[in-house]
Amino acid sequence: NVKLADMGSGAGFPGLVLAMAGVAEVHLIESDVRKATFLREVSRETNTPVFIHDERVEDTKIPDLDIITARALAPLRDLLIMANRLLTPGHAGVCLFMKGEKADEEILKAQKRWNFTLETHQSITDKSGKVLKINDLEVK
């Protein structure tokens, strides 16, 4: 079973959509109370089981995550700080971050502080967008 956390879930993309698609255990982290209330309502109306954490990422503890996602939340270097707090030491987790036209610039800035394995995938919905797959995250 895959355990996924979506940081800054907002309106539920990609986390809620992935839960609807069948990801076994999805945690939506959203500190904005109005957005978290919306996520609860959509979960209830669509009968989609998710865990909603209406708190900041840095206050959230979810052991043994397999995947961490984020879209339009923060620059990559900040996403890596948040993801590193969520990841359980010794448990290999993968980060999937959707980034826009400044992805290459953000990668260079992040590589100054972090070591990681990176795969980039072209977005199929936005020609200037990329999905970054990050493994083996560690502070330099």
Side-chain angles (χ1 to χ4, degrees):
N1 281 349
V2 172
K3 187 188 283 191
L4 179 143
D6 183 35
M7 302 186 304
S9 294
F13 186 76
L16 192 56
V17 174
L18 291 168
M20 290 175 181
V23 173
E25 185 177 332
V26 175
H27 295 260
L28 305 176
I29 306 169
E30 178 52 62
S31 64
D32 184 309
V33 175
R34 293 173 302 119
K35 293 176 184 176
T37 299
F38 170 80
L39 292 169
R40 281 188 182 84
E41 185 65 17
V42 173
S43 171
R44 189 180 63 73
E45 289 286 331
T46 60
N47 200 27
T48 303
V50 292
F51 298 92
I52 299 171
H53 304 264
D54 52 355
E55 59 193 4
R56 296 181 55 81
V57 172
E58 44 271 39
D59 297 328
T60 306
K61 302 265 188 282
I62 308 165
D64 301 327
L65 287 170
D66 300 302
I67 301 171
I68 297 174
T69 61
R71 178 188 163 276
L73 177 61
L76 181 59
R77 64 181 178 213
D78 296 336
L79 291 176
L80 295 177
I81 292 168
M82 290 182 240
N84 192 52
R85 286 185 180 133
L86 281 175
L87 291 169
T88 302
H91 184 86
V94 175
C95 299
L96 298 173
F97 298 141
M98 291 167 238
K99 301 306 287 179
E101 58 191 34
K102 294 185 180 180
D104 293 335
E105 180 183 321
E106 290 187 36
I107 291 166
L108 289 174
K109 286 182 180 177
Q111 287 173 328
K112 291 177 182 175
R113 179 172 180 190
W114 298 93
N115 289 319
F116 50 86
T117 304
L118 173 68
E119 288 179 33
T120 60
H121 301 273
Q122 183 63 47
S123 170
I124 59 172
T125 59
D126 178 359
K127 66 181 179 181
S128 68
K130 295 180 181 176
V131 177
L132 308 182
K133 179 181 178 187
I134 296 175
N135 296 312
D136 309 316
L137 180 62
E138 64 180 20
V139 178
K140 283 191 172 183

